[in-house]
Structure formats: structure tokens, C-alpha cells
Amino acid sequence: MLGLANLSLLVLFPVAWVAPLARAGLLPFFGLDEISVLSGVASLWESDKALAILVVLLAMALPLLKTLWLAAIHLGRAGPRALPVLTALSKLAMADIFLIAVYIVVAKGVGVGRIETAWGLWLFTFCVATSMLVTHLTKKKLDP
């Protein structure tokens, strides 16, 4: 069951990257633009390539790599000796939640515009929480 939950993340993470995380607008009476992980990275790429690369690594590549590493463990390709790498990946992949929280806090703190959370934020949060739970249960199962 853990393996199936983990493998579902290989589909759900990419969906969450293109799904709208939030809708933001400068003034209340103008339309709102949708913000996704990918649109955020594209916007960052225009202004700060180093930060865009960091976000891609921490919010996209490492969570996916962690999911693949867990799949290797669940499929018997990696044993308990793989746990230290999984622990390191888990710590680095946690940065995605922090980054999204920072963006929302900054956007709300400006006070000029408005921001509304969208379904993609819930999906992305679900993916990260599921990944954390699967990782915890896998470690508990392998570490006596």
C-alpha cells in the first residue's frame, strides 16, 4: 500500500506543478492572474536565474528524486542502507512548503493587491504531506 501511495505521487506532483496555487491581482477590481509552481519559476527565471534554479531543485527535482528513491526501496531495489540518503532527501525536499508559505506571506503583506488560494495549493500540500507520511512509515517499517 505504501508503494502504491508513493507511485501515485509520480503523477500527482507534476499535476500540482501546473495547477493554480493561487490567484493574485494588483487591485481588487482587476482580474486575477493564476500562479503555479511552473509560472512562478518562469517569472523568477526572468529576474533571478539562480533563485529559479534553486526553486526547481528544492521544490521539484528533490521531491521527485525522493519519490523515486522511495519507490526503489518499496520495490526491493534498495534496502535499509538507503535510509540515510532518504533522510537527506527528505530534509531538502521540505523546502517547497517553506517557499510557498513565504510567497503567500509576502504577497498578502504588500496590502495593495489580493491573493486567493486555489486548488493546486491543496493538491501540492497533499502531495508533500503524503510523501512525508510514506517516508515516515517506510523508515518505521525498515528501521527496527
Side-chain angles (χ1 to χ4, degrees), residues 1-14 62-76 86 89-90 126-138:
M1 190 61 138
L2 286 176
L4 186 58
N6 184 61
L7 289 176
S8 71
L9 292 174
L10 293 175
V11 173
L12 293 176
F13 265 127
L62 288 173
L64 197 57
L65 183 59
K66 176 184 155 189
T67 303
L68 290 169
W69 196 261
L70 271 169
I73 292 171
H74 293 145
L75 294 172
L86 182 62
L89 288 172
S90 297
F126 171 79
C127 289
V128 172
T130 300
S131 178
M132 290 170 58
L133 180 63
V134 169
T135 301
H136 172 73
L137 293 175
T138 301

Side-chain angles (χ1 to χ4, degrees), residues 104-112:
I104 290 174
V105 168
V106 167
K108 286 190 175 222
V110 171
V112 175

Side-chain angles (χ1 to χ4, degrees), residues 102-128:
V102 167
Y103 291 137
I104 290 174
V105 168
V106 167
K108 286 190 175 222
V110 171
V112 175
R114 69 177 194 186
I115 188 163
E116 299 172 357
T117 57
W119 65 272
L121 183 61
W122 294 105
L123 176 60
F124 194 66
T125 303
F126 171 79
C127 289
V128 172

Side-chain angles (χ1 to χ4, degrees), residues 20-33:
L21 298 175
R23 291 176 196 85
L26 185 57
L27 297 171
F29 43 85
F30 289 119
L32 300 176
D33 292 325

Side-chain angles (χ1 to χ4, degrees), residues 30-113:
F30 289 119
L32 300 176
D33 292 325
E34 288 187 343
I35 302 165
S36 68
V37 172
L38 289 181
S39 70
V41 168
S43 179
L44 275 175
W45 185 258
E46 293 173 10
S47 61
D48 190 343
K49 289 179 178 35
L51 184 57
I53 291 169
L54 189 63
V55 169
V56 167
L57 286 174
L58 296 175
M60 298 170 74
L62 288 173
L64 197 57
L65 183 59
K66 176 184 155 189
T67 303
L68 290 169
W69 196 261
L70 271 169
I73 292 171
H74 293 145
L75 294 172
R77 303 281 186 212
R81 293 177 54 196
L83 288 178
V85 174
L86 182 62
T87 300
L89 288 172
S90 297
K91 289 178 183 177
L92 291 172
M94 281 297 297
D96 46 9
I97 293 299
F98 174 76
L99 290 172
I100 289 175
V102 167
Y103 291 137
I104 290 174
V105 168
V106 167
K108 286 190 175 222
V110 171
V112 175

